[in-house]
Amino acid sequence: MATLTKIYALCAVLLAFLFTFLNSAQLDGGKLCLPEKHASLFIFGDSLFDAGNNNYINTTTDFQANFGPYGDTFFKYPTGRFSNGRLIQDFIAEYATLPLITPYLHPGYHRYIDGANFASGGAGALVETHQGSVIDLKTQLSYFKNLARLFGEKLGHAEAKTFLGRAVYLINIGGNDYLVPFNSNSTVLQSISREEYVDMVIGNLTIVIKEIYKEGGRKFGFLSMLPLGCLPFTKVLKPGNTGACIEEITALAKLHNKALPKVLQKLERQLNGFRYSIADGYTAFSERINNPSKYGFKEGKIACCGSGPYRGILSCGGVRSVKGYELCENASEYVFFDSAHLSERANQQVAKLMWSGTSNVTGAYNLKDLFELSPM
């Protein structure tokens, strides 16, 4: 009994070291004990999920939010999140009784045992999307593989696979890929059809899903594409627009939302133990844009922070190419905080739908169920 007690005590000590110094040379060699049902959260994607990775790369302020008034409502300082406060994945972490998941590129070592955030504002599934200014999805995958290799070294191969199998992998990508043909000089849609373009985006996403699966990942969470043509940012792309959504852009989002569930269902049949949750973000935001008062907002079409019509020019903070901007008094009254991103309150509402939404909102599981599932 005394020996058993000593073993438990040793495990507790080693676990404490793991939480704080997982990537430290002090832990070279040796096996570590993990909580039996600990489910971590790994996050991939774009500015909807970027908690500050772009603070640490060579980019422009167009792809950063590390200046006020970003972060003012909750954190009281800019963290690099494209909102006035917390993002969707921050609330998901809270519901899963996890701490806020740290950006992978944050200097120093952190509690990777709880997961890591690889998302990058402006990123796409296509390497060419904002290439050189963001961390594309393929590179985010390479960061995850580095971490998976580290877990293998510290935990042993079998234990690392079990640990990664318990984790949930939250992914949101594609929006920037679909916006680039309309807000840049891209001619891609002149040479291929919209369907072919969407297939390219989802094809790259599928490759990443399969690679995560190879490392041990089994439980994946997604948010369907938002009505991209209805963002304040996209409405100003069309000169003389009187407030209508840009249907050419929204059409790509609809094609994406039609194709992704089919791919996930196919993966579920092909990959043993693969489970997924996909929430209907398109309907959720269409509702809030068109009927804001129903969801506790006063404004669904104009951004809280920005300039120009609908405050649709991405000038929030005054350090981008357009310096002047307007700022509303109460961001929680707005669906959009800036020209292309959601307010903290909107993020929280979507997180709740993803976490505990019923089958008409999320399928095949909601995230709460996914976290509780034992890997197969």
Side-chain angles (χ1 to χ4, degrees):
M1 191 64 152
T3 302
L4 196 57
T5 302
K6 287 180 181 179
I7 291 173
Y8 288 153
L10 179 60
C11 283
V13 171
L14 289 173
L15 183 58
F17 270 104
L18 176 65
F19 276 5
T20 312
F21 302 110
L22 179 61
N23 201 26
S24 159
Q26 297 177 50
L27 289 180
D28 283 347
K31 296 291 180 70
L32 299 171
C33 303
L34 289 173
E36 185 179 346
K37 294 185 178 180
H38 183 81
S40 52
L41 179 61
F42 293 97
I43 300 151
F44 301 78
D46 53 27
S47 54
L48 209 62
F49 287 172
D50 184 0
N53 278 307
N54 281 14
N55 296 351
Y56 310 107
I57 64 173
N58 183 21
T59 187
T60 70
T61 53
D62 288 343
F63 302 108
Q64 292 179 316
N66 53 352
F67 43 84
Y70 290 104
D72 281 1
T73 301
F74 180 78
F75 297 99
K76 308 304 180 186
Y77 67 93
T79 64
R81 289 169 170 83
F82 290 79
S83 184
N84 58 303
R86 289 162 290 182
L87 302 182
I88 292 168
Q89 83 279 354
D90 294 322
F91 292 104
I92 298 299
E94 177 187 330
Y95 302 152
T97 64
L98 292 168
L100 296 181
I101 306 300
T102 306
Y104 178 74
L105 295 184
H106 192 289
Y109 301 120
H110 295 271
R111 291 172 57 107
Y112 292 138
I113 197 68
D114 291 320
N117 185 325
F118 307 101
S120 170
L126 305 178
V127 174
E128 297 80 9
T129 297
H130 301 140
Q131 190 168 12
S133 297
V134 302
I135 309 163
D136 63 81
L137 186 60
K138 184 178 179 181
T139 303
Q140 294 179 35
L141 172 66
S142 71
Y143 290 161
F144 169 71
K145 285 187 171 183
N146 289 340
L147 203 50
R149 185 167 56 250
L150 178 65
F151 280 121
E153 292 171 1
K154 305 305 177 186
L155 303 175
H157 181 74
E159 183 71 6
K161 284 278 188 181
T162 300
F163 168 74
L164 294 172
R166 293 192 194 116
V168 171
Y169 300 84
L170 198 59
I171 306 175
N172 183 78
I173 203 77
N176 290 299
D177 300 303
Y178 300 136
L179 290 173
V180 158
F182 300 93
N183 67 1
S184 70
N185 295 322
S186 171
T187 58
V188 64
L189 291 181
Q190 296 175 19
S191 56
I192 62 173
S193 70
R194 294 181 305 178
E195 289 80 5
E196 288 172 318
Y197 189 63
V198 171
D199 284 347
M200 287 169 54
V201 171
I202 290 187
N204 279 17
L205 171 58
T206 304
I207 290 169
V208 169
I209 293 170
K210 288 181 176 179
E211 289 296 310
I212 295 171
Y213 180 89
K214 285 180 184 177
E215 297 292 343
R218 294 294 182 269
K219 302 185 288 185
F220 294 79
F222 304 89
L223 179 66
S224 74
M225 199 58 54
L226 307 187
L228 297 176
C230 300
L231 308 179
F233 171 75
T234 52
K235 287 184 188 177
V236 301
L237 295 177
K238 195 169 186 177
N241 186 20
T242 56
C245 299
I246 309 300
E247 287 304 320
E248 305 97 298
I249 303 177
T250 299
L252 289 172
K254 288 179 178 178
L255 286 171
H256 178 98
N257 291 342
K258 184 177 179 181
L260 182 58
K262 293 179 180 178
V263 168
L264 296 176
Q265 290 163 13
K266 185 177 180 181
L267 290 174
E268 190 174 36
R269 292 191 298 268
Q270 291 177 339
L271 305 177
N272 184 42
F274 177 87
R275 298 290 181 268
Y276 70 91
S277 170
I278 182 166
D280 184 4
Y282 185 95
T283 299
F285 274 99
S286 296
E287 278 282 309
R288 284 159 178 78
I289 290 167
N290 295 319
N291 305 293
S293 61
K294 184 178 177 181
Y295 301 94
F297 300 100
K298 289 187 177 179
E299 180 55 62
K301 298 180 180 178
I302 300 172
C304 167
C305 186
S307 57
Y310 331 108
R311 296 190 184 129
I313 296 172
L314 196 60
S315 59
C316 187
V319 300
R320 298 182 174 120
S321 53
V322 176
K323 306 302 179 188
Y325 71 97
E326 300 171 358
L327 180 65
C328 70
E329 289 186 8
N330 186 356
S332 68
E333 295 177 347
Y334 287 69
V335 173
F336 294 101
F337 176 65
D338 74 4
S339 311
H341 304 101
L342 311 174
S343 67
E344 180 183 68
R345 187 175 189 180
N347 282 324
Q348 183 177 27
Q349 290 187 8
V350 177
K352 283 183 178 178
L353 290 175
M354 295 180 74
W355 180 255
S356 56
T358 53
S359 59
N360 63 321
V361 177
T362 64
Y365 299 87
N366 59 35
L367 287 178
K368 182 177 185 294
D369 291 338
L370 212 57
F371 266 94
E372 293 173 352
L373 275 178
S374 297
M376 295 175 66

